[in-house]
Structures are given as structure tokens and as C-alpha cells.
Amino acid sequence: MEELSIIVCIHRIFGRKIKFDRRTISLIIFQVCILSLVNYWGLGKGAAGFTFVFIFIYCKIQFKVKFVSCAVSVFFLSIIVTALQFICLLLTSVVMLDNEGLRVMIADAAVLFFCVVLLPRFKVDKLRKNAWLRSKYSTGVFGFVGIVMVILLVQDKMLEGIQAEFFIFAVPAVFVLTLSIGKWAESQERIKKIEEEMDSHIHQQEKYSELLQKVRLRQHEFKNHLTAIFSTHYTYKTYEQLVEVQKEYCNKLLGENKYNSLLLIGDDVLAGFLYGKFQEMEECGVQIEYGIHANLEEIEVPDYYLIEILGILLDNAAEAYQGSKQPKTVSLSIVQEENYYCFTIRNRSEYVPYSKMEQWFQMDASSKGKGRGLGLYYVKTLCSEWKMDIHCENIEISQKNWIQFTLIVKKADSQK
């Protein structure tokens, strides 16, 4: 039960689902064998602490993290499991069970129950992330917690017992400080998000103002362009030449004003983002096709998160053409329905099995390299948080296959 508690706890720390695969089962069997030999030869608790080395190796291989991150995670594991064992043993000692083996078994069962049922509610995976907050406050708290836990471990493993006075005062302090650093980290994260959102709003608003200014300037030139088109019959005498010149002039005029429809979207920040993103993609040789058939005044999802999702989908669509010689075209459509808005993004691609599409939304499932498969996983996370739907499918247009992502965002009224 103790080894199962360790396995459950380390998966909680990394925020991963528990998988009893070959590595996990091998670790459990190996650890149980080592502890059995320690008990058989009477080596003491100090030798049993050596098992954390193998837990470190397991975390390094199973979760594929860096050395320091792995060491910090094992450190937090020792803190959580040791603290839980101390508390549960203290509670069972109050019951005054005469059978020490039974008392320890009940305590370990309580630890396992806590790890399986209650530990997820405490979001212990944030402990590992909070450890990287470079501040005097977080460093001091984690330093104090580390010293306390090391002293407890030394007393328990080496001295075969813990001083009651030290335990009574130190362990509550550890829990209070750990909870406080968690709350502080959450507030810092919210502040960072607000700052990023404000910076994004300022940047997108500048892009929107740039687009609006260009449209206004072109309005003054529009009459001159019409006059130029109507006057071409004075220069070109044949009908074929006249049609060709007018067509070329009109295409150029349409090209210069192709982003004007973004002003109809009803959201200055989102319009500015799309304007900047389209320009960026065209500089990379990607042709943009878009249609705006909606006014986003009733959308409830904050612009910041909607921009993050659309940015990831547009970037993925453009990056899908890397190394391809076919024309690079990305299509975006925004449609307004009765109860929701529909954002559709697609790009040309060979047929992709739907089993592979499901893998795209899993962590580290990208074919672009280790650590880069977080985009669609993050999209799925945001969709779950803000009650949006995301679909991916193959569609055929003019006998050519396209990969299409459809984002469904409910209107504000329909979510209440």
C-alpha cells in the first residue's frame, strides 16, 4: 500500500493519469523486493530510504523531464508522503491499537485513500510549477519546508523515532506555508494573465487602428480609382484589351482592400489580431482566404483566450505546408448561428486517419519534436474550461482533401 501511495502521489505531482504499465508495475515489484530484503536482513529505515533513488530514475524515464525538475518532484513526493504517514500514524496511535503491524497497515491504507481520493483536490501538480517562481518569498518558504522535512526524515530513518515536540509544531507550519505559497502563486499567475491580456489588447488595438486608418485613406481615393477604370476606354481601343486592363486594375484594387471586411467582425481586438496574423502569414508565402458572416458582440469568451486558440489553429494550418510544394492556402470562416458562433479553419492536406487526429490533442503528441505538441492540447484545455467545442475532420473540396478545424463558441445568452 505504501508503494501504491507513492505511485499515485508522483502521478498527481506531474498532473498525469495513472497508468499501470510495464515500467510502473516493475517499479512496484522492485521496491517491494528491496523493502522485503531490508526487513529480512534488519538493515533499518536508513537503507529503505535508498528506494527514492529508483523512484527518481522511474520519474526521469516515465515522465521525460529534466534532471532538476525530476529532483524537485521527488523532493515534493517525499514531503507529501512522509507528512501523510506521520499524520496517519499519529491518528492511529491515538486509537491505541496493541498490534503495531495492524496500526501501520491502517495508517498506510489511510495514506493510500488520501492520495487516490483527496489529493487531486489540492492540485499538488502546482507545487512543482510553483517551485520555479524566482522570488525571495517562494525560495524562503520552500527552503524552510525542505529543512523541516530533512530533519524529520533524518530523525525517522536514522534515529528510529521523531521528537513529538518538533513534530507537533513543525508539520502544521509546513502545511500552512505550503498552502500559502500555493495561494500566492495563484495570485501571481492571475496577475501575469491580466498583464498579458492587457498587452495583447493594446497590441491588437494598434493593429485595428492601423487597418481602420488605411480604410479611411482609401475611401478618399475610391472616386479616383473609379474614374481611372471608366477612363480606360479612351486609351484602349479593342474590347479584349479594355477587359484585360480593367480586370487587372480591379484585382489590384481588391487586393489592396481585401482586409476591409475584418471591420465587420464587431470586435476591435479580434479584428486587429486577424489583420496582423494575416499579414504575418502572407509574408511567409501563405495565401489567405477568409469570410466574415458574423458580428461578435454577444460572445462571452474573453478575447485573450479566443485569440490564443485561433492563433494556434492558424499557425498549425500554415506550418502544415512546411516542405510542401503545393500552393499554400489557409481558409478562415466566421459564421453566426442562432445560439453560437462557428470558426472554421482549414488547410490542404493528405487524408489523415481520425485515430491520428485524436492523438494531436494529447500532450507531447506533435510530430514537430519533443515538447512542441502542446498547442492543440492547450486548445482542448481552454475549450473545456470555457465550454467550447472543437472538431477536426477531413473534407473534400474540388476533389482535394482539406483538414478542417471547427470551433463552436456559444453566445452569451445561450450559456446562462
Side-chain angles (χ1 to χ4, degrees):
M1 284 188 291
E2 182 177 350
E3 291 306 314
L4 287 175
S5 300
I6 290 175
I7 294 297
V8 173
C9 185
I10 197 65
H11 280 79
R12 300 301 188 200
I13 289 175
F14 280 96
R16 303 289 183 87
K17 293 182 178 180
I18 303 172
K19 294 182 180 180
F20 288 98
D21 53 11
R22 184 170 53 187
R23 294 172 182 170
T24 304
I25 295 175
S26 299
L27 176 67
I28 295 175
I29 295 175
F30 189 67
Q31 297 282 77
V32 169
C33 291
I34 291 178
L35 294 175
S36 299
L37 292 175
V38 169
N39 291 334
Y40 181 76
W41 286 327
L43 298 180
K45 295 183 178 181
F50 184 69
T51 56
F52 279 97
V53 176
F54 299 98
I55 295 173
F56 174 86
I57 297 173
Y58 168 80
C59 294
K60 189 76 173 64
I61 298 174
Q62 184 77 355
F63 303 111
K64 297 179 176 62
V65 292
K66 295 181 179 180
F67 182 89
V68 177
S69 177
C70 186
V72 171
S73 302
V74 175
F75 173 71
F76 284 138
L77 170 69
S78 64
I79 290 177
I80 295 172
V81 173
T82 304
L84 289 176
Q85 287 177 338
F86 289 156
I87 293 174
C88 293
L89 284 172
L90 181 64
L91 294 176
T92 54
S93 64
V94 174
V95 182
M96 300 296 292
L97 295 176
D98 296 331
N99 191 327
E100 182 180 356
L102 180 61
R103 185 168 64 246
V104 173
M105 186 181 69
I106 293 175
D108 284 335
V111 172
L112 179 60
F113 173 80
F114 187 90
C115 291
V116 173
V117 179
L118 301 179
L119 204 58
R121 299 182 181 181
F122 289 88
K123 299 179 181 180
V124 292
D125 56 308
K126 290 187 177 181
L127 280 175
R128 183 169 61 94
K129 300 176 182 178
N130 296 341
W132 303 109
L133 293 173
R134 298 181 179 178
S135 69
K136 295 180 180 179
Y137 178 68
S138 60
T139 303
V141 170
F142 281 115
F144 173 79
V145 172
I147 292 173
V148 170
M149 297 312 300
V150 167
I151 293 175
L152 288 174
L153 286 171
V154 169
Q155 287 187 355
D156 182 52
K157 303 298 183 183
M158 302 301 180
L159 304 180
E160 301 292 336
I162 298 174
Q163 296 179 5
E165 298 84 359
F166 184 82
F167 173 77
I168 292 174
F169 290 104
V171 171
V174 167
F175 275 104
V176 171
L177 288 174
T178 304
L179 290 175
S180 67
I181 193 67
K183 294 296 183 181
W184 178 81
E186 288 181 3
S187 64
Q188 292 297 112
E189 186 177 348
R190 284 195 294 268
I191 292 173
K192 184 180 177 181
K193 281 286 186 183
I194 293 173
E195 291 176 349
E196 291 176 350
E197 188 171 353
M198 290 179 63
D199 291 340
S200 175
H201 272 68
I202 293 172
H203 177 70
Q204 310 309 338
Q205 191 66 47
E206 290 175 353
K207 284 291 183 181
Y208 177 81
S209 299
E210 178 185 339
L211 173 61
L212 186 61
Q213 183 66 21
K214 287 183 177 180
V215 171
R216 287 173 175 172
L217 291 175
R218 291 188 184 119
Q219 282 183 337
H220 295 288
E221 302 172 0
F222 196 65
K223 290 182 179 180
N224 295 330
H225 287 304
L226 289 177
T227 302
I229 293 173
F230 288 133
S231 300
T232 51
H233 70 277
Y234 293 115
T235 308
Y236 298 93
K237 303 302 180 183
T238 65
Y239 177 76
E240 291 78 8
Q241 290 178 330
L242 180 63
V243 170
E244 185 66 26
V245 169
Q246 288 182 342
K247 182 179 179 181
E248 182 180 349
Y249 196 100
C250 289
N251 287 336
K252 183 179 179 180
L253 193 60
L254 289 173
E256 291 178 349
N257 294 271
K258 59 185 174 182
Y259 295 133
N260 293 9
S261 298
L262 291 174
L263 299 177
L264 303 176
I265 205 171
D267 188 316
D268 298 356
V269 176
L270 184 59
F273 162 75
L274 292 176
Y275 176 63
K277 178 60 70 174
F278 289 169
Q279 286 183 319
E280 176 186 321
M281 295 171 68
E282 285 197 332
E283 290 176 358
C284 297
V286 179
Q287 182 181 353
I288 304 297
E289 297 178 353
Y290 79 97
I292 306 296
H293 310 285
N295 190 300
L296 304 181
E297 293 180 350
E298 301 177 26
I299 198 165
E300 190 169 86
V301 178
D303 292 333
Y304 179 77
Y305 297 108
L306 186 59
I307 286 173
E308 282 191 323
I309 294 176
L310 294 180
I312 291 172
L313 296 179
L314 288 170
D315 287 340
N316 285 353
E319 291 175 4
Y321 288 108
Q322 287 185 355
S324 176
K325 296 182 180 180
Q326 63 179 328
K328 302 178 181 180
T329 303
V330 173
S331 174
L332 168 67
S333 174
I334 304 177
V335 178
Q336 179 175 347
E337 300 294 344
E338 184 177 355
N339 297 319
Y340 61 88
Y341 298 101
C342 180
F343 298 81
T344 303
I345 297 173
R346 59 174 176 259
N347 61 273
R348 287 276 306 280
S349 172
E350 299 294 332
Y351 182 86
V352 178
Y354 286 92
S355 58
K356 186 175 181 179
M357 289 183 181
E358 292 179 2
Q359 296 177 1
W360 289 349
F361 292 90
Q362 299 176 6
M363 184 176 291
D364 294 328
S366 173
S367 61
K368 297 181 287 185
K370 181 181 176 180
R372 296 185 63 189
L374 301 177
L376 290 178
Y377 175 80
Y378 181 60
V379 167
K380 184 179 71 172
T381 303
L382 287 179
C383 287
S384 176
E385 180 180 351
W386 291 97
K387 298 180 181 179
M388 297 179 286
D389 294 323
I390 182 78
H391 307 288
C392 183
E393 59 184 332
N394 294 281
I395 64 169
E396 186 174 318
I397 300 176
S398 301
Q399 298 181 343
K400 295 178 181 178
N401 192 74
W402 294 69
I403 299 296
Q404 177 171 290
F405 287 87
T406 304
L407 177 68
I408 305 297
V409 183
K410 295 180 181 178
K411 290 185 178 180
D413 294 338
S414 63
Q415 293 190 7
K416 296 178 180 179

Short mmCIF file of all heavy atoms in Angstrom, two decimals, residues 360-390:
data_model
loop_
_atom_site.label_atom_id
_atom_site.label_comp_id
_atom_site.label_asym_id
_atom_site.label_seq_id
_atom_site.Cartn_x
_atom_site.Cartn_y
_atom_site.Cartn_z
N TRP A 360 -3.45 14.19 -31.90
CA TRP A 360 -2.99 15.59 -31.97
C TRP A 360 -3.34 16.37 -30.72
O TRP A 360 -2.63 17.30 -30.35
CB TRP A 360 -3.61 16.28 -33.19
CG TRP A 360 -3.06 15.82 -34.51
CD1 TRP A 360 -1.97 15.04 -34.70
CD2 TRP A 360 -3.59 16.11 -35.80
NE1 TRP A 360 -1.78 14.82 -36.05
CE2 TRP A 360 -2.76 15.48 -36.75
CE3 TRP A 360 -4.67 16.85 -36.26
CZ2 TRP A 360 -2.98 15.57 -38.11
CZ3 TRP A 360 -4.90 16.94 -37.61
CH2 TRP A 360 -4.06 16.31 -38.54
N PHE A 361 -4.46 16.01 -30.08
CA PHE A 361 -4.93 16.77 -28.92
C PHE A 361 -4.36 16.25 -27.60
O PHE A 361 -4.76 16.71 -26.54
CB PHE A 361 -6.46 16.72 -28.86
CG PHE A 361 -7.12 17.48 -29.97
CD1 PHE A 361 -7.44 16.86 -31.16
CD2 PHE A 361 -7.43 18.82 -29.82
CE1 PHE A 361 -8.05 17.57 -32.20
CE2 PHE A 361 -8.05 19.53 -30.84
CZ PHE A 361 -8.35 18.89 -32.04
N GLN A 362 -3.43 15.29 -27.69
CA GLN A 362 -2.78 14.78 -26.49
C GLN A 362 -1.46 15.49 -26.26
O GLN A 362 -0.85 15.99 -27.20
CB GLN A 362 -2.54 13.27 -26.61
CG GLN A 362 -3.82 12.47 -26.78
CD GLN A 362 -3.56 10.99 -27.01
OE1 GLN A 362 -2.42 10.54 -26.94
NE2 GLN A 362 -4.60 10.24 -27.30
N MET A 363 -1.03 15.54 -25.01
CA MET A 363 0.21 16.22 -24.68
C MET A 363 1.40 15.51 -25.31
O MET A 363 1.49 14.29 -25.29
CB MET A 363 0.38 16.29 -23.16
CG MET A 363 1.60 17.09 -22.72
SD MET A 363 1.72 17.24 -20.93
CE MET A 363 0.33 18.32 -20.59
N ASP A 364 2.34 16.31 -25.88
CA ASP A 364 3.57 15.80 -26.48
C ASP A 364 3.30 14.83 -27.62
O ASP A 364 4.07 13.90 -27.84
CB ASP A 364 4.46 15.12 -25.43
CG ASP A 364 4.96 16.10 -24.40
OD1 ASP A 364 5.17 17.28 -24.76
OD2 ASP A 364 5.13 15.71 -23.24
N ALA A 365 2.19 15.06 -28.36
CA ALA A 365 1.88 14.17 -29.47
C ALA A 365 2.26 14.76 -30.82
O ALA A 365 1.99 14.19 -31.85
CB ALA A 365 0.38 13.83 -29.49
N SER A 366 2.94 15.91 -30.82
CA SER A 366 3.27 16.59 -32.07
C SER A 366 4.39 15.87 -32.80
O SER A 366 5.28 15.28 -32.19
CB SER A 366 3.69 18.04 -31.80
OG SER A 366 4.17 18.64 -32.96
N SER A 367 4.36 15.91 -34.12
CA SER A 367 5.44 15.36 -34.94
C SER A 367 6.52 16.39 -35.16
O SER A 367 7.51 16.13 -35.84
CB SER A 367 4.87 14.92 -36.30
OG SER A 367 4.30 16.03 -36.98
N LYS A 368 6.36 17.60 -34.57
CA LYS A 368 7.33 18.68 -34.78
C LYS A 368 8.50 18.58 -33.81
O LYS A 368 9.42 19.37 -33.88
CB LYS A 368 6.64 20.05 -34.61
CG LYS A 368 5.57 20.31 -35.64
CD LYS A 368 4.94 21.66 -35.44
CE LYS A 368 4.05 21.69 -34.25
NZ LYS A 368 3.32 22.95 -34.10
N GLY A 369 8.48 17.61 -32.88
CA GLY A 369 9.60 17.46 -31.97
C GLY A 369 9.14 17.42 -30.52
O GLY A 369 8.01 17.73 -30.18
N LYS A 370 10.07 17.00 -29.65
CA LYS A 370 9.77 16.86 -28.23
C LYS A 370 9.41 18.21 -27.62
O LYS A 370 10.09 19.20 -27.81
CB LYS A 370 10.99 16.26 -27.52
CG LYS A 370 10.76 16.04 -26.04
CD LYS A 370 12.00 15.47 -25.40
CE LYS A 370 11.82 15.33 -23.90
NZ LYS A 370 13.01 14.78 -23.24
N GLY A 371 8.32 18.22 -26.83
CA GLY A 371 7.95 19.43 -26.13
C GLY A 371 7.17 20.42 -26.94
O GLY A 371 6.80 21.48 -26.46
N ARG A 372 6.88 20.11 -28.23
CA ARG A 372 6.20 21.08 -29.07
C ARG A 372 4.75 20.68 -29.33
O ARG A 372 4.05 21.36 -30.05
CB ARG A 372 6.94 21.24 -30.40
CG ARG A 372 8.35 21.79 -30.25
CD ARG A 372 8.98 22.02 -31.60
NE ARG A 372 8.28 23.02 -32.37
CZ ARG A 372 8.52 23.27 -33.66
NH1 ARG A 372 9.46 22.59 -34.28
NH2 ARG A 372 7.83 24.19 -34.30
N GLY A 373 4.32 19.54 -28.77
CA GLY A 373 2.96 19.10 -29.02
C GLY A 373 1.99 19.59 -27.97
O GLY A 373 1.16 18.83 -27.48
N LEU A 374 2.09 20.83 -27.58
CA LEU A 374 1.24 21.37 -26.53
C LEU A 374 0.14 22.26 -27.06
O LEU A 374 -0.77 22.61 -26.32
CB LEU A 374 2.10 22.15 -25.52
CG LEU A 374 3.21 21.38 -24.83
CD1 LEU A 374 4.02 22.29 -23.93
CD2 LEU A 374 2.65 20.22 -24.02
N GLY A 375 0.21 22.68 -28.34
CA GLY A 375 -0.72 23.64 -28.89
C GLY A 375 -2.16 23.16 -28.85
O GLY A 375 -3.02 23.78 -28.21
N LEU A 376 -2.43 22.04 -29.50
CA LEU A 376 -3.80 21.53 -29.56
C LEU A 376 -4.25 20.99 -28.20
O LEU A 376 -5.44 21.03 -27.89
CB LEU A 376 -3.92 20.45 -30.63
CG LEU A 376 -3.79 20.95 -32.08
CD1 LEU A 376 -3.87 19.80 -33.05
CD2 LEU A 376 -4.88 21.98 -32.39
N TYR A 377 -3.31 20.49 -27.42
CA TYR A 377 -3.66 20.06 -26.06
C TYR A 377 -4.14 21.27 -25.24
O TYR A 377 -5.11 21.18 -24.49
CB TYR A 377 -2.45 19.40 -25.40
CG TYR A 377 -2.69 19.04 -23.95
CD1 TYR A 377 -3.39 17.88 -23.60
CD2 TYR A 377 -2.20 19.84 -22.92
CE1 TYR A 377 -3.60 17.55 -22.28
CE2 TYR A 377 -2.42 19.52 -21.59
CZ TYR A 377 -3.11 18.37 -21.28
OH TYR A 377 -3.33 18.04 -19.96
N TYR A 378 -3.46 22.40 -25.41
CA TYR A 378 -3.86 23.63 -24.72
C TYR A 378 -5.20 24.13 -25.24
O TYR A 378 -6.04 24.62 -24.46
CB TYR A 378 -2.77 24.68 -24.91
CG TYR A 378 -3.06 25.99 -24.21
CD1 TYR A 378 -3.23 26.04 -22.83
CD2 TYR A 378 -3.16 27.18 -24.92
CE1 TYR A 378 -3.48 27.23 -22.18
CE2 TYR A 378 -3.41 28.38 -24.27
CZ TYR A 378 -3.57 28.40 -22.91
OH TYR A 378 -3.84 29.58 -22.27
N VAL A 379 -5.43 23.99 -26.55
CA VAL A 379 -6.72 24.36 -27.13
C VAL A 379 -7.84 23.54 -26.50
O VAL A 379 -8.90 24.07 -26.12
CB VAL A 379 -6.70 24.17 -28.66
CG1 VAL A 379 -8.12 24.26 -29.24
CG2 VAL A 379 -5.82 25.22 -29.32
N LYS A 380 -7.61 22.23 -26.38
CA LYS A 380 -8.62 21.36 -25.79
C LYS A 380 -8.89 21.76 -24.33
O LYS A 380 -10.04 21.74 -23.87
CB LYS A 380 -8.15 19.91 -25.86
CG LYS A 380 -9.17 18.90 -25.34
CD LYS A 380 -8.68 17.49 -25.45
CE LYS A 380 -7.57 17.23 -24.45
NZ LYS A 380 -7.19 15.79 -24.39
N THR A 381 -7.82 22.14 -23.61
CA THR A 381 -7.96 22.56 -22.22
C THR A 381 -8.81 23.83 -22.12
O THR A 381 -9.71 23.93 -21.27
CB THR A 381 -6.59 22.79 -21.59
OG1 THR A 381 -5.80 21.60 -21.69
CG2 THR A 381 -6.73 23.18 -20.13
N LEU A 382 -8.53 24.81 -22.98
CA LEU A 382 -9.30 26.06 -22.96
C LEU A 382 -10.76 25.81 -23.36
O LEU A 382 -11.67 26.42 -22.79
CB LEU A 382 -8.67 27.08 -23.92
CG LEU A 382 -7.35 27.71 -23.47
CD1 LEU A 382 -6.84 28.68 -24.54
CD2 LEU A 382 -7.53 28.45 -22.15
N CYS A 383 -10.97 24.93 -24.33
CA CYS A 383 -12.35 24.62 -24.74
C CYS A 383 -13.14 24.00 -23.60
O CYS A 383 -14.32 24.30 -23.40
CB CYS A 383 -12.33 23.69 -25.96
SG CYS A 383 -11.81 24.48 -27.49
N SER A 384 -12.49 23.14 -22.84
CA SER A 384 -13.15 22.52 -21.70
C SER A 384 -13.45 23.55 -20.61
O SER A 384 -14.51 23.52 -19.99
CB SER A 384 -12.27 21.39 -21.15
OG SER A 384 -12.83 20.83 -19.99
N GLU A 385 -12.52 24.47 -20.42
CA GLU A 385 -12.68 25.48 -19.37
C GLU A 385 -13.78 26.47 -19.70
O GLU A 385 -14.54 26.89 -18.81
CB GLU A 385 -11.35 26.21 -19.18
CG GLU A 385 -11.39 27.29 -18.11
CD GLU A 385 -10.04 27.99 -17.95
OE1 GLU A 385 -9.05 27.53 -18.56
OE2 GLU A 385 -9.97 29.01 -17.23
N TRP A 386 -13.90 26.86 -20.98
CA TRP A 386 -14.87 27.88 -21.38
C TRP A 386 -16.07 27.31 -22.13
O TRP A 386 -16.82 28.03 -22.78
CB TRP A 386 -14.18 28.94 -22.24
CG TRP A 386 -13.22 29.76 -21.45
CD1 TRP A 386 -11.87 29.59 -21.35
CD2 TRP A 386 -13.54 30.87 -20.61
NE1 TRP A 386 -11.32 30.51 -20.50
CE2 TRP A 386 -12.33 31.31 -20.03
CE3 TRP A 386 -14.72 31.53 -20.28
CZ2 TRP A 386 -12.27 32.39 -19.16
CZ3 TRP A 386 -14.66 32.60 -19.40
CH2 TRP A 386 -13.46 33.02 -18.86
N LYS A 387 -16.27 26.00 -22.03
CA LYS A 387 -17.44 25.32 -22.58
C LYS A 387 -17.59 25.57 -24.09
O LYS A 387 -18.67 25.91 -24.59
CB LYS A 387 -18.71 25.76 -21.84
CG LYS A 387 -18.68 25.41 -20.36
CD LYS A 387 -19.94 25.86 -19.65
CE LYS A 387 -19.89 25.52 -18.17
NZ LYS A 387 -21.10 25.96 -17.45
N MET A 388 -16.47 25.40 -24.79
CA MET A 388 -16.48 25.46 -26.25
C MET A 388 -16.28 24.06 -26.82
O MET A 388 -15.83 23.15 -26.11
CB MET A 388 -15.36 26.39 -26.76
CG MET A 388 -15.51 27.84 -26.33
SD MET A 388 -14.15 28.89 -26.93
CE MET A 388 -12.82 28.38 -25.84
N ASP A 389 -16.60 23.88 -28.08
CA ASP A 389 -16.41 22.60 -28.76
C ASP A 389 -15.41 22.78 -29.89
O ASP A 389 -15.43 23.79 -30.59
CB ASP A 389 -17.73 22.07 -29.32
CG ASP A 389 -18.72 21.72 -28.23
OD1 ASP A 389 -18.28 21.22 -27.17
OD2 ASP A 389 -19.93 21.95 -28.41
N ILE A 390 -14.55 21.77 -30.08
CA ILE A 390 -13.57 21.80 -31.16
C ILE A 390 -13.66 20.47 -31.91
O ILE A 390 -13.69 19.40 -31.29
CB ILE A 390 -12.14 22.04 -30.62
CG1 ILE A 390 -11.13 22.11 -31.74
CG2 ILE A 390 -11.75 21.03 -29.57
CD1 ILE A 390 -11.10 23.40 -32.49
#
